[in-house]
Amino acid sequence: MSLKFDFSNLFEPNISGGLTDEDVKSVEEKVTSAVRNFVENTPDFAKLDRSWIDSVKSLEDWIINFDTVVVLGIGGSGLGNLALHYSLRPLNWNEMTREERNGYARVFVVDNVDPDLMSSVLDRIDPKTTLFNVISKSGSTAEVMATYSIARGILEAYGLDPREHMLITTDPEKGFLRKLVKEEGFRSLEVPPGVGGRFSVLTPVGLLSAMAEGIDIDELHEGAKDAFEKSMKENILENPAAMIALTHYLYLNKGKSISVMMAYSNRMIYLMDWYRQLWAESLGKRYNLKGEEVFTGQTPVKALGATDQHSQIQLYNEGPNDKVITFLRVENFDREIVIPETGRAELSYLARKKLSELLLAEQTGTEEALRENNRPNMRVTFDGLTPYNVGQFFAYYEAATAFMGYLLEINPFDQPGVELGKKITFALMGREGYTYEIKERSKKVIVE
């Protein structure tokens, strides 16, 4: 079953101040033009090259020998792997025995240079049965180079050949990691040159760890393929990605500068993190394509139901009306728990109900409360968390991001605002060719 998108609570008369037919008509032609541009100049991430799957599967006989795969990546090189792992494997997957995992690997993702994080992963693995997947498109990302160096040092300390316990995923031609592959003979996978990190989850960047833990990567691609095909329909009422972009664009113009994604499933936590990077890094731009200052973009925020009903919903219902909220809802969970009868009349309304019934009632209740308060919201419904559905989710939001960039007249595929911080970091760490002097503050306000 395909994902189902319900945009009803974004429109008049369902909410006061919502979108009108006139609003839609005012931008419909521009949205259609965005779709045509997507068809005529299809981004590489939407082409879903079969070689991406084939290159990963060519390593299957080697990968199956490892009990654990540790992904060393950051940003798009880490979040896609985390989203796949958490959404498509049980939450206790890494605590299961190999037999309980049907021989598939545990997967850990080190996506930060926090020493506590790195140490906690290293404490839980046996280097002799571990594969480190080093992922960096540029081949020079400081955080990945640091964790690569640590992992290699540990392997060598154990007397292990790094070439038998490391896989390099990087640009096919350039960068330090590609040089390492050529000079030292590491096995490698390619990051497609035309695919940016935050759009790379359906390439070997995400597919390798997914295959290692038994996720059907063909089904993942099939879902994405079907979603990209629908994203090329000019009729916006048949195109979920176009509708996501259209509605969010109109609401941004109405002052709704925050996009909240609220999932009613703990397994979707990293799907939301993946979305946050995609929406923020792609659309938060100072300049438009004409070089004019526009300072545009929507701030993405994640929330978890029902947890954040006791944390954020008060703000969403009665605080500033500056948000568009997207609910993620799962109709069928992999496991179920029935609430027992306690013999107390006060709890009889819960007795013999499924825990999922309560969670989904919470989602419906929150959605209805927001509607009553005239807060725009929409819903994406998964019949279950399957590779097909998750593949669809990735594809629809990648296409929606491309459409939103077209509507905003900015480049959604670069990230100039990230680069200065990287250069300063290189200078502070003493990398050759980089200099930066932190200026003394003329006014200091320090409280200890």
Side-chain angles (χ1 to χ4, degrees), residues 135-193:
I135 307 176
S136 169
K137 183 177 181 179
S138 69
S140 62
T141 309
E143 298 89 347
V144 180
M145 295 303 95
T147 53
Y148 153 76
S149 300
I150 292 167
R152 180 164 186 161
I154 288 171
L155 291 171
E156 291 174 343
Y158 272 80
L160 300 168
D161 184 349
R163 292 172 299 180
E164 295 303 318
H165 290 266
M166 281 189 158
L167 173 68
I168 307 294
T169 304
T170 191
D171 185 273
E173 297 294 335
K174 60 182 185 294
F176 168 73
L177 287 179
R178 182 53 59 186
K179 179 181 179 183
L180 201 65
V181 169
K182 293 176 180 177
E183 293 181 358
E184 298 195 31
F186 283 91
R187 292 175 178 86
S188 71
L189 291 169
E190 296 181 357
V191 181

Side-chain angles (χ1 to χ4, degrees), residues 88 90 98 116 158 164 197 247 315-316 326 339-340 350-351 359 379 388 412 447:
L88 295 174
R98 189 168 177 85
D116 286 336
Y158 272 80
E164 295 303 318
T247 53
L315 174 69
Y316 298 169
T326 299
I339 305 169
L350 294 172
L359 184 63
R379 185 191 332 132
Y388 182 88
V447 180

Side-chain angles (χ1 to χ4, degrees), residues 287 362 398 407 433:
Y287 299 102
E362 300 256 19
E398 287 179 348
L407 296 175

Side-chain angles (χ1 to χ4, degrees), residues 86-138:
Y86 277 87
S87 64
L88 295 174
R89 294 291 81 180
L91 290 173
N92 62 337
W93 177 261
N94 286 343
E95 282 69 56
M96 292 180 177
T97 66
R98 189 168 177 85
E99 183 179 11
E100 290 170 331
R101 291 181 269 117
N102 295 319
Y104 291 112
R106 302 185 299 165
V107 170
F108 296 95
V109 180
V110 178
D111 66 335
N112 201 353
V113 286
D114 179 344
D116 286 336
L117 172 65
M118 185 76 180
S119 298
S120 71
V121 172
L122 295 175
D123 287 344
R124 299 168 69 187
I125 67 170
D126 179 353
K128 296 188 289 294
T129 59
T130 297
L131 171 71
F132 293 94
N133 185 11
V134 185
I135 307 176
S136 169
K137 183 177 181 179
S138 69

Side-chain angles (χ1 to χ4, degrees), residues 198 280-289 410-423:
R198 58 189 176 274
E281 197 166 68
S282 299
L283 304 177
K285 298 293 162 66
R286 178 174 181 174
Y287 299 102
N288 65 14
L289 295 173
I410 53 95
N411 181 359
F413 305 120
D414 66 359
Q415 53 282 334
V418 178
E419 301 307 316
L420 178 58
K422 288 182 179 180
K423 293 174 181 177

Side-chain angles (χ1 to χ4, degrees), residues 304-329:
L304 178 66
T307 302
D308 284 320
Q309 289 173 207
H310 303 267
S311 166
Q312 298 181 41
I313 289 300
Q314 173 63 32
L315 174 69
Y316 298 169
N317 268 317
E318 297 189 358
N321 194 353
D322 56 0
K323 304 166 189 68
V324 181
I325 298 166
T326 299
F327 291 106
L328 304 185
R329 176 184 173 107

Side-chain angles (χ1 to χ4, degrees), residues 1-46:
M1 176 180 169
S2 298
L3 299 185
K4 181 179 178 180
F5 294 80
D6 189 341
F7 298 93
S8 303
N9 286 342
L10 298 177
F11 287 87
E12 291 267 16
N14 300 321
I15 63 167
S16 176
L19 302 179
T20 65
D21 290 342
E22 289 71 27
D23 290 330
V24 173
K25 287 177 183 176
S26 71
V27 295
E28 191 169 6
E29 185 176 333
K30 192 170 184 179
V31 175
T32 302
S33 180
V35 174
R36 287 177 186 151
N37 180 67
F38 191 79
V39 173
E40 295 168 5
N41 304 287
T42 304
D44 285 357
F45 65 76

